[in-house]
Amino acid sequence: MNIAIIGATGNVGRKILEVIERKIFFINELFLVASPKSAGQKINFNGREYEVYNLETYDFSKAEITFFAAGGKISEKYAEKAAKHTTIIDNSSFFRMDEDVPLIVPQVNPEAINILKKNIIANPNCSTAQLVIVLKPLHDEFNIRRVVISTYQSVSGGGKASMDELIEQTKLSLDKKKINSKNFTKQIAFNAIPHIDVFADDGYTKEELKMINETKKILDNKIELTATCVRIPVLVSHAESVNIEFEKNFSLEKIRSLLNCADGCEVLDKREDGGYITPLEAEGKNETYISRIREDKTKKNTLNLWIVSDNLLRGAALNAVEIAELLIKKNNE
Ligand SMILES: NC(=O)c1ccc[n+]([C@@H]2O[C@H](COP(=O)([O-])OP(=O)(O)OC[C@H]3O[C@@H](n4cnc5c(N)ncnc54)[C@H](OP(=O)(O)O)[C@@H]3O)[C@@H](O)[C@H]2O)c1
């Protein structure tokens, strides 16, 4: 199997490499591709140095599977043409809501891979991926009616430059120097910004709409959702406070056991100091963690949860590689 990564020098591209390196994933040739500025750079993978190719001159017929992790504009410009020669797994939002493109979290809707009309598979938004992996086992058992989400999202969701800027702003702020925000709409150091991606006419941000629409596409169009997405000064992992209303009644014991058994989920919920997960602890882990499981006593059949996951892994690289594994399995059947 020959594999290519477009955007191999970025946050998600580098994580895809790490995930592939950790898995027993048979790779014949690997092609690492980025912008002209990175062409010629060397990247180490499995003890061998690989040269970074320039996307402008890269030949897409070299690999059977190509991961796109270079932003929506690059996916828009190159993916459909490239898909004539290679199967695309796209991390950007560009194709996610395209009816002919499956949007997949392998633990939730693996069957969607059977509608591969354009030879492109979309990877969901990072906040969506960790949400649906938790909602799926609960929906199967109790039928979800409505979900209210508030996110606490790390800056790595905005790419490598945003991580560098948080570190820089933190230093400047401690030194009491002037801060000019470049990748954020306001200062992010020691702050929280209730605005991720652009505003739509109805006042929601595109990040919030992505969570709502993608969850419906992956899980069930009938579920009603509303979201508020907030950027916080954390480097990696997104946290979500989630309120879920079910059609059927539930017991907390059953919720815990369903989530503990669900593939990709782990319950960490002790009602004591430190008996819950935080973004720092989820960094580098494959699991999506669930804490603070409790009834919402103001509404019938309603539950509160705290969900935390490494956005670069479950929300991007790990999910993308698991889609590739699903594809390989399907092709070998
Ligand atoms: N970060 C997350 O949590 C997350 C989660 C899900 C999905 N995604 C999506 O994944 C994609 C990548 O995000 P990221 O966080 O990895 O961004 P990033 O750290 O900014 O990396 C961007 C990558 O794209 C490459 N690139 C930029 N312009 C290019 C061009 N004109 N031609 C070729 N390559 C170009 C960059 O190469 P150079 O180094 O050469 O500039 C770099 O490798 C985005 O679509 C993002 O929405 C991100």
Side-chain angles (χ1 to χ4, degrees):
M1 177 70 63
N2 294 343
I3 301 276
I5 303 174
I6 314 301
T9 52
N11 265 350
V12 174
R14 283 178 297 136
K15 270 286 168 206
I16 291 174
L17 272 175
E18 266 180 55
V19 173
I20 293 176
E21 207 164 27
R22 273 192 272 137
K23 286 198 175 252
I24 312 160
F25 198 99
F26 181 72
I27 292 186
N28 190 14
E29 277 299 330
L30 177 66
F31 300 94
L32 305 181
V33 186
S35 76
K37 106 172 179 261
S38 305
Q41 251 185 45
K42 300 279 193 304
I43 294 183
N44 210 300
F45 174 80
N46 258 344
R48 197 184 128 186
E49 279 207 325
Y50 288 81
E51 190 172 320
V52 176
Y53 291 87
N54 176 357
L55 176 62
E56 287 170 8
T57 50
Y58 174 69
D59 169 8
F60 281 99
S61 65
K62 284 176 184 285
E64 282 94 12
I65 295 180
T66 301
F67 295 97
F68 267 69
K73 289 207 171 90
I74 297 294
S75 297
E76 180 181 10
K77 185 169 173 194
Y78 291 94
E80 283 195 79
K81 273 188 232 151
K84 295 193 171 79
H85 309 282
T86 175
T87 305
I88 310 288
I89 299 174
D90 184 32
N91 281 282
S92 84
S93 60
F94 189 75
F95 293 100
R96 287 182 195 150
M97 296 313 295
D98 185 325
E99 276 181 14
D100 294 333
V101 172
L103 176 65
I104 300 181
V105 174
Q107 291 77 358
V108 179
N109 62 336
E111 68 290 344
I113 202 148
N114 297 322
I115 48 149
L116 204 53
K117 291 190 187 153
K118 288 189 172 171
N119 211 18
I120 299 173
I121 303 165
N123 206 20
N125 176 267
C126 36
S127 308
T128 310
Q130 71 183 66
L131 178 69
V132 293
I133 212 165
V134 174
L135 295 186
K136 163 79 177 163
L138 305 182
H139 186 50
D140 285 349
E141 189 78 19
F142 304 114
N143 271 344
I144 296 173
R145 187 176 283 161
R146 179 171 183 258
V147 187
V148 183
I149 314 131
S150 300
T151 71
Y152 303 74
Q153 295 181 228
S154 66
V155 295
S156 56
K160 194 174 167 298
S162 300
M163 296 174 82
D164 294 341
E165 187 172 348
L166 170 60
I167 293 165
E168 184 59 25
Q169 281 196 14
T170 306
K171 286 186 200 148
L172 289 170
S173 179
L174 290 172
D175 291 342
K176 304 216 173 331
K177 291 196 176 142
K178 188 172 184 294
I179 290 172
N180 291 315
S181 294
K182 290 190 286 279
N183 295 289
F184 304 95
T185 50
K186 298 210 177 195
Q187 174 178 325
I188 185 67
F190 305 104
N191 207 359
I193 304 175
H195 174 192
I196 303 178
D197 212 328
V198 294
F199 276 99
D201 291 343
D202 60 3
Y204 280 80
T205 63
K206 199 172 156 201
E207 183 79 358
E208 290 157 356
L209 296 175
K210 279 186 257 182
M211 277 196 90
I212 294 167
N213 296 330
E214 292 176 20
T215 301
K216 283 172 170 284
K217 178 167 174 177
I218 296 169
L219 197 54
D220 187 341
N221 199 31
K222 290 198 286 298
I223 298 176
E224 289 188 299
L225 299 103
T226 184
T228 303
C229 292
V230 180
R231 190 71 83 197
I232 57 163
V234 159
L235 283 172
V236 177
S237 301
H238 292 349
E240 297 172 353
S241 163
V242 183
N243 180 271
I244 311 164
E245 185 188 344
F246 299 103
E247 273 169 24
K248 297 183 188 164
N249 60 9
F250 62 83
S251 73
L252 290 181
E253 203 186 351
K254 183 72 182 166
I255 297 274
R256 278 204 189 86
S257 88
L258 283 171
L259 292 176
N260 251 331
C261 296
D263 194 10
C265 292
E266 190 173 325
V267 173
L268 211 161
D269 186 36
K270 290 190 185 140
R271 293 172 175 180
E272 60 188 37
D273 291 355
Y276 38 80
I277 190 89
T278 59
L280 264 186
E281 296 156 298
E283 184 176 347
K285 309 273 177 22
N286 288 351
E287 287 73 25
T288 295
Y289 294 94
I290 305 103
S291 304
R292 305 293 323 279
I293 303 172
R294 65 214 189 275
E295 254 179 82
D296 173 353
K297 292 185 178 155
T298 67
K299 212 164 198 290
K300 204 175 158 214
N301 301 341
T302 305
L303 180 76
N304 283 320
L305 300 175
W306 173 248
I307 301 172
V308 186
S309 196
D310 182 321
N311 55 301
L312 298 177
L313 279 171
R314 168 54 57 207
L318 177 66
N319 204 67
V321 174
E322 286 177 353
I323 292 173
E325 289 177 314
L326 189 66
L327 181 72
I328 293 166
K329 196 168 148 225
K330 177 183 178 271
N331 290 345
N332 287 340
E333 272 168 12

